[in-house]
Amino acid sequence: MVHLSIPEAQKIALLSQGLCSPAPRRGVISSTLESVEQLGYVQIDTISVVQRAHHHVLWSRNAQYQPAHLEQLVANKDLFEYWSHAASYLPMKNFRYTLPRKHTFKSGQQKHWYKKDQALMNSVLDKIKNEGPLMAKDFESKVLKRTGWESKPTKQALELLYMQGDLMIVERRNFHKVYDLTERVLPENVDTSVPTDQEYGKFLILNYLKAHGIGTLLEMSYLLKGSKALIQQSLIELLESKQIELVSVAEQKFYTTPHSLDLLNKRLYRNRAHLLSPFDNVLIQRKRIAQLFSFDYQLECYVPAAKRKFGYFCLPILWAGQLVGRADCRVDKPSSTLQISHLFIEKALKHSDTFNEALSKELNAFAQFNHCQRFHIVKRSVLI
């Protein structure tokens, strides 16, 4: 068994994620598609105090990226929306691996949080079939408000039809979903065959290891309900066929691939600071990032204001292959300023002058990405 040091494991994880890597040489549309295919998914989130997560994640891999590039890839049918561990953009070439989840919803094996009204769902489907792509606002129905979180019955029907595969999201208008029949959205050459359990299990493993380099059973089955036993069996088969192997990091066993181990021979670019989204693929599993990078991170927008330690929307800062701080950011539109309410730097940070220069460049670039003319740091602290 290969024994990896913590720095070696960090290097594999970062390079697998397309971070601390050289700038892409291909056109921005092609490199954006490559990023999503490498990552496996890009999570969609509604919070917009800065650019939304799906755009931020892609910009972190390519500073030339703009939101219109993602929209173009959806229009080109290279990417589509569906569920990963959360709502996400996925590569169209992996479409068939969304079918097992869709079939569990359609068959009733997996329950949605919305209750099925088959007659209403049929009516919604017929309206879209006859009229073309529609949004939730194009359907009239009343909702009985009890908690303030309820949605219209027709909106629920749309989501159920989407989750079970009858509808797809063809585009978004002002972030609102536009639904159409799946058969009218899919490109002609896409593979729609349902994978066997063996194929699906192997896909979940290899797709995860392609994106993350190393991983455990629990990490690979993260928020994928009912997948653990299947992944466990597929791990045995992939080990036997030598498509994957076991390595140890700090006395814990991880699975990896020969390709991931080859990344140890590549250079880790340490000169750029990365301001990461809280929903970035590299740190979405908080226990993993704490173990590999000794970085304890929590997104505090869901925490009551009085209990927050770092702020509403703190962005982790990656530099020189380490997570070295966090910045509580928001866009102030009236002043066209990226406001950093509080910048926190880890005490262990070395070469602070070099870091400050790199961070200033990143904050300036991130301000421009957020259509701001400048950035302003209100307060700066060193963590003890």
Side-chain angles (χ1 to χ4, degrees):
M1 183 186 297
V2 175
H3 299 277
L4 299 177
S5 66
I6 290 289
E8 287 176 327
Q10 291 171 342
K11 182 178 184 179
I12 289 173
L14 292 172
L15 291 179
S16 296
Q17 282 284 301
L19 293 167
C20 300
S21 301
R25 294 182 178 180
R26 300 184 64 180
V28 66
I29 295 289
S30 297
S31 61
T32 298
L33 178 58
E34 286 181 359
S35 289
V36 182
E37 290 178 344
Q38 176 65 28
L39 295 170
Y41 73 92
V42 175
Q43 183 174 337
I44 302 168
D45 196 76
T46 58
I47 298 173
S48 57
V49 291
V50 294
Q51 278 280 16
R52 287 190 171 99
H54 39 290
H55 298 310
H56 187 170
V57 167
L58 293 170
W59 177 82
S60 294
R61 275 75 181 170
N62 185 350
Q64 303 305 311
Y65 170 82
Q66 292 295 323
H69 300 142
L70 182 59
E71 295 167 9
Q72 184 63 55
L73 287 166
V74 173
N76 293 348
K77 301 185 179 183
D78 292 316
L79 300 178
F80 70 103
E81 284 193 40
Y82 194 62
W83 205 260
S84 172
H85 72 281
S88 302
Y89 288 103
L90 304 169
M92 187 64 79
K93 72 175 189 177
N94 293 341
F95 175 82
R96 67 188 293 249
Y97 295 105
T98 65
L99 296 177
R101 181 190 289 266
K102 290 171 180 173
H103 288 182
T104 62
F105 279 115
K106 194 157 192 173
S107 66
Q109 294 173 262
Q110 185 170 343
K111 299 295 182 183
H112 196 274
W113 47 91
Y114 294 146
K115 186 177 180 180
K116 278 191 177 183
D117 181 337
Q118 195 60 56
L120 180 59
M121 290 167 65
N122 291 341
S123 173
V124 166
L125 206 57
D126 286 342
K127 184 175 174 67
I128 292 177
K129 183 177 181 179
N130 294 327
E131 298 182 20
L134 296 172
M135 295 186 283
K137 72 179 184 65
D138 297 317
F139 295 84
E140 292 185 8
S141 61
K142 294 183 179 179
V143 56
L144 179 61
K145 293 288 185 180
R146 293 190 179 91
T147 67
W149 290 98
E150 292 85 0
S151 56
K152 295 193 305 182
T154 48
K155 169 63 175 174
Q156 296 181 15
L158 285 164
E159 282 298 293
L160 286 163
L161 289 164
Y162 161 67
M163 288 303 293
Q164 70 181 33
D166 295 305
L167 296 178
M168 291 181 70
I169 298 167
V170 67
E171 62 172 314
R172 284 185 180 243
R173 297 175 191 162
N174 295 323
F175 205 61
H176 296 290
K177 299 173 183 175
V178 181
Y179 301 87
D180 199 2
L181 302 181
T182 292
E183 58 263 33
R184 293 202 296 228
V185 178
L186 286 179
E188 292 182 1
N189 61 345
V190 71
D191 188 350
T192 58
S193 61
V194 180
T196 64
D197 285 349
Q198 184 181 47
E199 287 177 320
Y200 186 49
K202 288 183 177 180
F203 168 79
L204 292 176
I205 294 165
L206 296 176
N207 200 47
Y208 183 91
L209 293 178
K210 178 182 179 181
H212 295 279
I214 62 172
T216 66
L217 170 61
L218 290 178
E219 290 169 353
M220 294 175 199
S221 57
Y222 175 70
L223 294 183
L224 298 178
K225 188 176 180 180
S227 67
K228 188 175 178 180
L230 176 61
I231 291 174
Q232 192 165 30
Q233 177 59 38
S234 296
L235 284 169
I236 295 171
E237 295 171 4
L238 287 170
L239 281 171
E240 289 176 349
S241 64
K242 300 186 185 305
Q243 293 180 66
I244 64 172
E245 57 186 281
L246 280 168
V247 296
S248 69
V249 181
E251 300 183 354
Q252 180 176 345
K253 292 181 180 178
F254 288 83
Y255 298 93
T256 190
T257 64
H259 173 76
S260 296
L261 291 176
D262 286 343
L263 293 175
L264 292 172
N265 299 318
K266 293 196 173 183
R267 177 185 170 189
L268 196 70
Y269 284 71
R270 303 175 181 271
N271 55 338
R272 178 187 168 186
H274 290 271
L275 203 63
L276 299 177
S277 167
F279 302 97
D280 196 289
N281 302 49
V282 77
L283 51 81
I284 197 64
Q285 294 193 42
R286 311 304 193 206
K287 289 183 179 178
R288 173 183 168 91
I289 213 69
Q291 179 184 9
L292 287 181
F293 290 87
S294 300
F295 191 73
D296 186 15
Y297 177 71
Q298 180 184 15
L299 176 57
E300 296 183 341
C301 61
Y302 306 113
V303 175
K307 295 184 178 181
R308 291 176 191 148
K309 296 180 180 179
F310 300 108
Y312 180 81
F313 205 67
C314 245
L315 310 183
I317 302 169
L318 175 69
W319 182 69
Q322 297 294 317
L323 288 160
V324 298
R326 56 200 92 198
D328 185 24
C329 295
R330 68 178 181 86
V331 169
D332 184 63
K333 290 184 179 179
S335 65
S336 188
T337 301
L338 176 68
Q339 195 90 346
I340 299 93
S341 303
H342 205 148
L343 175 65
F344 300 88
I345 303 300
E346 298 289 335
K347 184 180 180 180
L349 176 70
K350 298 178 180 179
H351 310 295
S352 59
D353 289 343
T354 308
F355 166 74
N356 289 336
E357 182 180 351
L359 179 62
S360 181
K361 288 181 180 178
E362 179 75 352
L363 288 171
N364 186 59
F366 192 59
Q368 293 180 44
F369 181 57
N370 281 275
H371 308 293
C372 293
Q373 295 180 5
R374 64 190 66 83
F375 71 87
H376 175 59
I377 301 173
V378 178
K379 185 177 181 181
R380 179 174 180 141
S381 299
V382 176
L383 296 173
I384 298 175

